[in-house]
Amino acid sequence: YGKKKGKVRLITSSQDLHSFQEGDILVAKATCVDYVVIMKKAGAIVTEYGGITSHAAIVSRELGIPSIIGVRGVTSVLKEGEIVEVDANKGIIRRIS
C-alpha cells in the first residue's frame, strides 16, 4: 500500500534494467527474478499480469513498495518518461505530466 509519484520506466526485458533510476515507477507486463535489483529502487511497481501471489506482488510486499498488479494494457497506455502518481491504496494510476 501507499502512494508514490515518479517517472515511468517501461521494462520489457533484462536489457532495459541499466536505465532504471532510484524512485522510477517500474511498469512491465510482469516481473521475474532478474528484475529484483531494480525493484529495490522502484518508487512503485505496476504490472499488466499477475495476482496476489505473483512475483511482483510478493516482492513489493516484502520491500514495502506500492504496487498495482494486473492492470490490463498498462504497458500500452503509459509512456516512457511520463510522470505518474501510483495510489496503491485506491488502485489508481494518475498522469501528472
Side-chain angles (χ1 to χ4, degrees):
Y1 289 99
K3 188 188 291 189
K4 285 287 183 174
K5 291 180 189 172
K7 187 182 294 187
V8 169
R9 289 291 176 210
L10 292 171
I11 304 297
T12 58
S13 74
S14 299
Q15 304 298 319
D16 301 328
L17 303 181
H18 67 280
S19 65
F20 202 87
Q21 301 294 314
E22 188 81 30
D24 285 349
I25 306 300
L26 169 57
V27 179
K29 288 196 181 278
T31 64
C32 65
V33 173
D34 293 345
Y35 290 20
V36 172
V37 68
I38 64 169
M39 293 172 84
K40 291 178 180 180
K41 295 194 246 180
I45 299 168
V46 180
T47 64
E48 245 180 74
Y49 304 114
I52 62 170
T53 60
S54 68
H55 181 264
I58 292 168
V59 173
S60 66
R61 281 193 299 269
E62 287 177 356
L63 297 175
I65 297 170
S67 66
I68 303 177
I69 309 300
V71 182
R72 194 177 315 190
V74 73
T75 58
S76 299
V77 174
L78 294 180
K79 305 297 181 222
E80 176 75 18
E82 73 181 320
I83 306 300
V84 297
E85 179 181 66
V86 176
D87 185 341
N89 297 324
K90 296 180 180 176
I92 296 171
I93 304 161
R94 185 171 60 97
R95 281 189 174 103
I96 305 294
S97 64

